Amino acid sequence: MSHAEPKPLMSKPAAALRGQLRVPGDKSISHRALMLGGLATGRTRIRGLLEAEDVINTGKAMAALGCPVSKEGDTWVVLGRGVGGLTQPSGDLDFGNSGTGTRLMMGIIGGHDMRVRLTGDASLSRRPMGRVLDPLAKMGVEVEDGRKQLPLVMRGTSELVPIVYTLPVASAQIKSAVLLAGLHALGKTTVIEPEPTRDHTERMLRHFGGIVEVTQEADGRHVTVSGGTELTGRDVTVPGDPSSAAFLIAAALMVPGSEVTIEGVLVNPTRTGLYTTLLEMGADLAFLNEREEGGEPVADIRARASRLRGVRVPAARAPSMIDEYPILACLAATAEGETRMDGLAELKVKESDRLAATAAGLVANGVSAIVDGDSLIVRGGTRVAGGGTVQTHLDHRIAMAFLTLGLVAEAPITVDDTAMIATSFPEFTGLMEKLGAAFEAPEPAS
Ligand code: S3P
């Protein structure tokens, strides 16, 4: 999907935010539900699916591979083809802005005798794909001209060889791509992750009847999937996305007098690094009504405005909050003292170079932010000057983080383009407005 027309937006200082609401379904789980639904036999019914561009593109890809995807009332239904049963698409598969959609689908396509051209937008076409294609090559997948970026043409095979693969970087996308290919291989495939990453693929494979063994060894977590096991269509309930909830919670913490509760948020421990960090910073957060929904832990999260202090965020925590650094850095700008975030190399290869984009956005709005190797250091204070324009580089999370910071800046903060917010959280501005925030389009430059 291309976004020809940039949509700039400006956020303005807000009065106390108040309310209780839900955020849309988790993006990672939504992608996986559509994919595993297509690989299972029979019907999979998905409630709470995130209806955002990234996930819709995965649904279109599954449909193009032979699995009808439709909506009945508020439930999405996938008619699965069974493991190894996908069919050759008649055209290219366009993944838009989505690294997760692309990389996980590479693992699935790799296990089928088919030749498929994969494309994406300008941001996705700059992102590294070798991290997934290299282990898939060991299993027997070929890429024409050895390309490691989109657009590229993959040739899969129904005779994949199982491997044992140690992740070179902490990435759930690489782990998941290898496990999904392993599901189609002749034997057991093991991924060793030195640091734990989000485990939704493992959980959901089991939910659909797959055989997944997990052991903790000296060199990390070993995840083994048995190839050739049949999956059966199931019901899936997608919990609220903690990475989307993060913006509303951050807004409540920043704006004096606020109290906001977000219901039904995923609190899987592989995703809650931001919340651990916020508690260390002194945030008034409560996890209410903790329960299990669809095999994942969820809670209602209540946030009250808080005076935060700067902290040091250890590198080991990065995988559990990798998408939350832009909003944490914005919160750090409002905290007392210095916040140092270490181990952020992976931020450089997200939808934008988020390390550089976050620091530049803060500096443009009068906040002291320094990139030191793979670390980001933000000096907070009692005031954020604002008045600057943030370059979002086709990155939804940069746009949402700085629109949130604008709620407490002295002068409005403008983001150059909000069109990409539709890739993950189309309801963002509407929900913020429900809580009491205000946004407006800036005057066009004359
Ligand atoms: C995701 C994994 C993370 C994350 C992305 C979603 C997933 O990427 O940034 O938004 O669903 O597996 P990496 O695996 O590249 O860290």
Side-chain angles (χ1 to χ4, degrees), residues 432-444:
M432 280 285 205
E433 282 166 355
K434 250 191 188 162
L435 297 175
F439 305 99
E440 67 182 48
E443 293 289 321

Side-chain angles (χ1 to χ4, degrees), residues 143-389:
V143 175
E144 290 181 6
D145 304 323
R147 283 184 61 80
K148 306 245 162 136
Q149 283 179 319
L150 300 189
L152 57 80
V153 178
M154 286 181 65
R155 283 176 189 276
T157 167
S158 57
E159 294 182 354
L160 283 182
V161 179
I163 55 169
V164 176
Y165 190 68
T166 301
L167 294 184
V169 288
S171 163
Q173 293 181 359
I174 308 176
K175 171 177 67 176
S176 301
V178 175
L179 291 176
L180 290 169
L183 182 67
H184 295 82
L186 311 162
K188 288 186 175 187
T189 294
T190 300
V191 177
I192 302 171
E193 47 176 10
E195 292 165 275
T197 66
R198 65 190 70 193
D199 61 357
H200 310 304
T201 302
E202 298 91 300
R203 284 178 189 251
M204 205 179 285
L205 273 168
R206 283 190 177 138
H207 180 65
F208 278 84
I211 300 172
V212 181
E213 296 152 53
V214 180
T215 56
Q216 189 61 48
E217 311 284 342
D219 57 350
R221 217 170 144 261
H222 290 219
V223 185
T224 301
V225 65
S226 298
T229 313
E230 271 305 319
L231 304 182
T232 312
R234 290 283 151 88
D235 287 356
V236 177
T237 302
V238 184
D241 194 328
S243 301
S244 297
F247 299 106
L248 308 184
I249 286 165
L253 294 175
M254 282 179 195
V255 179
S258 300
E259 178 171 329
V260 167
T261 301
I262 315 293
E263 296 165 16
V265 183
L266 174 74
V267 289
N268 175 319
T270 62
R271 297 287 298 282
T272 49
L274 174 73
Y275 299 100
T276 306
T277 305
L278 292 177
L279 290 170
E280 289 174 1
M281 294 173 86
D284 183 348
L285 283 183
F287 296 82
L288 310 169
N289 195 12
E290 291 191 50
R291 57 207 185 267
E292 188 146 307
E293 272 178 18
E296 292 275 4
V298 301
D300 304 333
I301 305 182
R302 188 194 67 209
R304 291 183 176 143
S306 307
R307 190 82 198 104
L308 301 180
R309 350 173 244 286
V311 291
R312 187 167 185 155
V313 188
R317 198 176 291 159
S320 67
M321 55 177 296
I322 194 65
D323 293 333
E324 278 65 82
Y325 285 99
I327 189 60
L328 175 62
C330 288
L331 270 166
T334 71
E336 207 177 297
E338 182 179 288
T339 294
R340 184 186 173 98
M341 295 155 259
D342 291 328
L344 305 188
E346 276 296 294
L347 280 198
K348 298 175 190 168
V349 291
K350 293 295 176 188
E351 285 82 330
S352 68
D353 175 347
R354 279 189 184 154
L355 193 49
T358 302
L362 288 171
V363 170
N365 287 288
V367 177
S368 160
I370 299 162
V371 175
D372 175 17
D374 293 339
S375 298
L376 176 60
I377 301 154
V378 177
R379 275 196 204 99
T382 48
R383 57 183 290 267
V384 173
T389 297

